[in-house]
Amino acid sequence: MADQQTSDAPTEFDAFDAFAAKNALNGVGVVKDPYPRLAELRSQCPVHQGSVSARFDLPGADRIIAAEDEQASVYTYQGVDAVLRDAASFSSSWYRMSIGDVIGRTILEMDPPEHRRFRSLISPAFTRREMDRWEHGFVRGIVDAYLDRFRADGRADLAADFAFHYPIHVIAVAAGLPVVDLPEFYRHTALLTNVAVSQDERLAASRDLGAMVQELIDARRAEPADDLIGVLVRARLNDEDWDGASDRQLTDDEIVAFLRLLVPAGAQTTYRAITTVLYGLLSHPDQLAAVRADRSLIPQAIEEGLRWEVPLLAVGRTAVRDTVVEGCPVRAGQHVNAPVAAANHDPSRWERPDEFDIFRTPVPHVSFGVGPHVCLGIHAARMEMRVALDLLLDRLPGLRLDPDTPCDGVTGLGLRTAVRLPVVFDTP
Ligand code: HEM
């Protein structure tokens, strides 16, 4: 069980509502099933000129970032895989335009060799061993505390009451944030990359979040600690080539930017992924029963859930030279959308790709990306999802969708989420 310090949940600010406009921009609640259209596009041609959102007649982040004739979109597994592995042709500088202004400069927008060196400074904070420490130090306690809030009611909305809060709470505690600051942290994180609010509001949230993190950095520089910021403050790279210096540490600005990145990259993705895995199981009661009976099936349920409904439709790159993807030309300077959702439903790799089936033969998916930028938080995400499923099944016996409350399931284009997950369960 977590102590009060880590498990108290913030209540003062309804970050869930602040998210509604961001969701609307990304087609959440509007696009129910994008996969037939993605399949149609894929069968016409592996690569199309223009954004993905325009093909669905929707607004979307890709249409805000670049004009239609300045972008191309890749719809096959092989094409997406090739783009993400080829950092020499496809630069991650794309992210400078999409989120760099509010986040700051991070590994997400760097290219090799700078990216590799920088990433190796940060990666010790995200090893399996570190995640083991997170799990038993505070993650299980945080989940327990949320479940305690509604366990006696026999019903809950697992999206709004649980999944939405849990991963951002984990990041806050991992960073060493005092519990009294959690509501403020929530407020800033809900606005930070929310393109549905004004640029001024986003930049203000970015500054305020930065100031909170700076206080933690100052404290860790004065007195070492084993939390995430403590690990980042101590990280050291001995590399003669690095900026011409032989002994390189992260600067305060770099740590602040990295913490800001963890909000969209680490917390919001995991929140959405938890809702979709849960919806996959709840809407397939036979598979849920199998997992309840045999918890060793949890990892494959998570991987199938991630393949079936990846939380982020696409990642982006900028072509730095004229090149060819799947036989189709891509011009230097074009923004390239790599929809991992389309790749994960490519019938040349998966039979019945649109079905949720935890018993299918496992084949790697691209929900965590691939190549040099493959998700740094992959062990964190898998651990958080495993702990959530395990404790939900332990503590909410008879867990099932509420037959009396309609549930839209997973919706969205740019982002895929089950915004509401009304469930009932047996009370103690
Ligand atoms: C289910 C949840 C998650 C999904 C689906 C996901 C997905 C991804 C994807 C697709 C990328 C690659 C982006 C690209 O190539 O442009 C990425 C990168 C990244 N992710 Fe995750 N992620 C998840 C959870 C997390 C968590 C929990 C953390 C940290 C606590 C995290 C931290 C990062 C970071 C720092 C990067 C940048 C890596 C780099 O540029 O080298 N992610 N993630």
Side-chain angles (χ1 to χ4, degrees):
M1 239 341 201
D3 60 21
Q4 285 298 104
Q5 281 299 306
T6 57
S7 59
D8 277 358
T11 50
E12 281 170 28
F13 172 68
D14 196 346
F16 197 68
D17 284 348
F19 242 59
K22 176 173 182 170
N23 280 342
L25 180 78
N26 283 287
V28 176
V30 178
V31 178
K32 176 88 183 135
D33 180 5
Y35 298 105
R37 175 76 177 128
L38 290 172
E40 189 185 5
L41 292 165
R42 189 192 306 109
S43 68
Q44 287 164 355
C45 187
V47 181
H48 288 250
Q49 297 301 307
S51 66
V52 181
S53 300
R55 301 280 161 173
F56 285 79
D57 284 329
L58 278 176
D62 49 358
R63 295 180 86 174
I64 294 175
I65 291 166
E68 280 302 294
D69 60 352
E70 287 170 11
Q71 48 186 319
S73 305
V74 181
Y75 292 95
T76 57
Y77 177 87
Q78 286 213 330
V80 166
D81 185 72
V83 166
L84 298 186
R85 287 182 194 278
D86 182 1
S89 304
F90 300 101
S91 164
S92 289
S93 58
W94 181 87
Y95 285 104
R96 215 164 293 156
M97 300 177 64
S98 56
I99 57 172
D101 56 343
V102 285
I103 297 283
R105 188 161 162 72
T106 67
I107 52 171
L108 193 64
E109 64 169 58
M110 291 176 190
D111 292 317
E114 182 192 22
H115 169 264
R116 183 174 45 77
R117 295 177 180 139
F118 218 100
R119 185 168 159 135
S120 65
L121 262 174
I122 292 166
S123 49
F126 293 94
T127 57
R128 275 180 212 264
R129 208 163 141 209
E130 266 309 282
M131 290 314 115
D132 204 40
R133 212 172 56 76
W134 286 26
E135 176 178 345
H136 297 286
F138 52 88
V139 172
R140 297 184 82 85
I142 291 173
V143 175
D144 268 334
Y146 280 104
L147 300 189
D148 283 344
R149 290 170 142 205
F150 53 70
R151 200 161 77 99
D153 302 341
R155 62 178 58 245
D157 178 343
L158 287 185
D161 300 337
F162 172 66
F164 182 76
H165 301 276
Y166 159 52
I168 192 70
H169 197 149
V170 167
I171 298 283
V173 174
L177 200 80
V179 72
V180 291
D181 291 339
L182 272 175
E184 209 188 329
F185 186 72
Y186 264 49
R187 176 190 299 275
H188 302 326
T189 56
L191 300 174
L192 186 68
T193 54
N194 192 338
V195 278
V197 303
S198 71
Q199 166 91 345
D200 284 351
E201 276 179 283
R202 274 180 282 148
L203 288 175
S206 170
R207 266 194 315 275
D208 294 343
L209 187 62
M212 292 180 90
V213 175
Q214 185 62 54
E215 275 185 34
L216 295 172
I217 296 173
D218 293 342
R220 299 301 172 267
R221 291 217 188 276
E223 193 172 332
D226 281 334
D227 53 33
L228 178 56
I229 303 231
V231 173
L232 295 174
V233 159
R234 281 199 307 278
R236 226 181 187 93
L237 187 83
N238 292 311
D239 182 343
E240 300 262 328
D241 295 336
W242 173 263
D243 287 357
S246 61
D247 191 5
R248 175 74 157 82
Q249 280 186 282
L250 292 167
T251 65
D252 288 4
D253 282 352
E254 288 164 349
I255 296 175
V256 166
F258 182 70
L259 258 289
R260 286 197 196 104
L261 171 64
L262 290 186
V263 172
Q268 291 169 8
T269 44
T270 310
Y271 141 58
R272 294 179 195 281
I274 289 172
T275 69
T276 58
V277 170
L278 279 172
Y279 181 71
L281 289 170
L282 288 162
S283 59
H284 296 81
D286 50 333
Q287 298 186 45
L288 178 63
V291 175
R292 185 182 284 121
D294 177 1
R295 302 298 171 85
S296 71
L297 296 175
I298 286 180
Q300 72 197 62
I302 290 173
E303 295 313 307
E304 173 64 355
L306 283 165
R307 181 204 66 81
W308 179 61
E309 285 293 3
V310 58
L312 196 67
L313 177 94
V315 297
R317 295 291 187 267
T318 302
V320 290
R321 54 191 185 209
D322 288 346
T323 181
V324 171
V325 177
E326 291 261 77
C328 308
V330 174
R331 292 192 317 275
Q334 273 195 310
H335 299 283
V336 181
N337 302 300
V340 283
N344 281 346
H345 285 241
D346 189 329
S348 68
R349 193 167 167 88
W350 288 277
E351 280 177 25
R352 304 168 286 108
D354 298 352
E355 283 176 30
F356 175 81
D357 177 4
I358 67 168
F359 295 109
R360 66 171 69 243
T361 309
V363 178
H365 55 72
V366 283
S367 297
F368 289 114
V370 70
H373 287 272
V374 66
C375 180
L376 183 69
I378 195 165
H379 303 311
R382 286 178 169 149
M383 177 272 290
E384 285 181 50
M385 295 173 80
R386 173 176 50 75
V387 170
L389 277 185
D390 201 24
L391 291 182
L392 282 167
L393 292 174
D394 270 355
R395 302 200 59 209
L396 307 181
L399 181 68
R400 58 206 180 272
L401 281 175
D402 182 346
D404 301 323
T405 311
C407 172
D408 287 342
V410 180
T411 65
L413 184 64
L415 302 167
R416 298 279 296 162
T417 314
V419 178
R420 302 278 170 200
L421 267 183
V423 293
V424 290
F425 40 86
D426 307 332
T427 46

